[in-house]
Amino acid sequence: MGGKIKAMDKKIALIRGDGIGPEIVAQAKKVLDGVAGLYNHKFSYDDVDMGGIAIDKWQDPLPEEMLKKCLESDSVLLGAVGGNKWNSMPGDKRPERGLLRLRAGMGVYSNNRPAKIWPQLASASPLRPSIVEKGIDFIIVRELIGGIYFGAHRTEEEYGQKKATDILSYTESEIERIGRIGFETARKRRKKLCSVEKSNVLDSSRLWKAVMHRLAPEYPDVELSDMLVDNCAMQIVKDPSQFDVIVTENMFGDILSDEASMITGSIGMIPSSSLGSTSCGLYEPIHGSAPDIAGMDIANPIGTILSAAMMLRFSFDMPAEADCIERAVSDVLDMGCRTADIMPADPDEAAKCRKVGCSQMGELILENLRKD
Ligand code: IPM
Ligand code: MG
């Protein structure tokens, strides 16, 4: 099988970011280099400053030339941005704004966040075993460059007090393009698509629902259902096995994907891909920069390493190489190696595991890379 693989040259923009970002990206890079060696590819890296570090260096969370580096790359791998140090900055100067501008600048409107339980970590799920046993394997397709995160934000003085406003709007075409990704994603899986909105209150959600139903006849093989977002939050913990693909707007997807990650054991395990109309994607773990544990070498690098695997699969058309990384992660979990966040709470279970740090976890995954 390995013989058929063509050697490729790829340029990867690396955004280490803030907090634990540099530590986890270093592990992913290590693993990518291991894959390159194994399959004869050449990965080169271009360092990009974004987030707090870019504010400190350039007084701008995403300077134009940094965005340009990303657009000129074959794909972007990102750790995490943000931290207490920049929390009091005005909204448009915060590290997070750099991330939002990067996503918009790259046009990556479709964010894919898998919520899948690793069998080795089933006991780390906060849900009852009887719920976990029914299976957790779904994907949240989150609209990423529209909605309330991108509407006008304004704080003004009104009648002697402050008033703050954030605008949530969607056009039909914005909904249609992400809706189609939802249907197509479901088509490749168990063919069940759940469109999540708040159509009992919001106009933007009523339009969302109408567009989804207009598209449905084009995908007769996919079963479309609707769910209100508050109910969805409840169903994710009550019976996550009912979901295959969830498609939803930006803010709902942000919130639900944190919830979905937690039921799989740890947010530290979950990768994500963000794609638009080109193959140049943005790959990042869904967790934040965790400033409280930054520099301590205890963060879980697996979310970032699996994001690198997604990059190989979705942007570089390297499915065997992506499988190779995922297999190594699984093998290392089988060996009982755990970062702090995925250590079992039960002392008997914990005694069977080996607690490892961030760089050690990266090293173990690297050592366990092997061709099929
Ligand atoms: C995420 C994060 C970001 C978001 C923040 C850091 C802007 O929470 O990727 O889920 O809201 O999209
Ligand atoms: Mg989030």
Side-chain angles (χ1 to χ4, degrees), residues 46-151:
D46 200 2
D47 272 302
V48 170
D49 293 330
M50 202 251 302
I53 184 185
I55 298 174
D56 290 352
K57 262 167 98 173
W58 315 98
Q59 294 76 51
D60 181 344
L62 181 67
E64 267 311 305
E65 58 273 32
M66 295 294 161
L67 173 60
K68 197 161 160 267
K69 281 190 186 197
C70 294
L71 294 173
E72 285 167 355
S73 71
D74 291 308
S75 265
V76 181
L77 182 67
L78 160 68
V81 295
N84 306 335
K85 184 174 169 192
W86 305 281
N87 276 354
S88 53
M89 317 245 351
D92 60 338
K93 299 256 154 40
R94 290 178 58 113
E96 292 80 0
R97 187 54 61 89
L99 177 54
L100 297 182
R101 271 170 39 202
L102 175 66
R103 290 170 176 170
M106 291 181 69
V108 288
Y109 62 85
S110 169
N111 182 218
N112 177 321
R113 300 188 160 190
K116 185 172 176 175
I117 195 138
W118 290 79
Q120 300 95 326
L121 301 183
S123 65
S125 172
L127 298 184
R128 268 203 304 274
S130 59
I131 300 176
V132 176
E133 276 154 22
K134 290 173 76 183
I136 303 175
D137 179 10
F138 63 99
I139 290 181
I140 296 185
V141 174
R142 168 187 176 194
E143 198 292 322
L144 202 60
I145 57 175
I148 198 163
Y149 293 3
F150 287 89

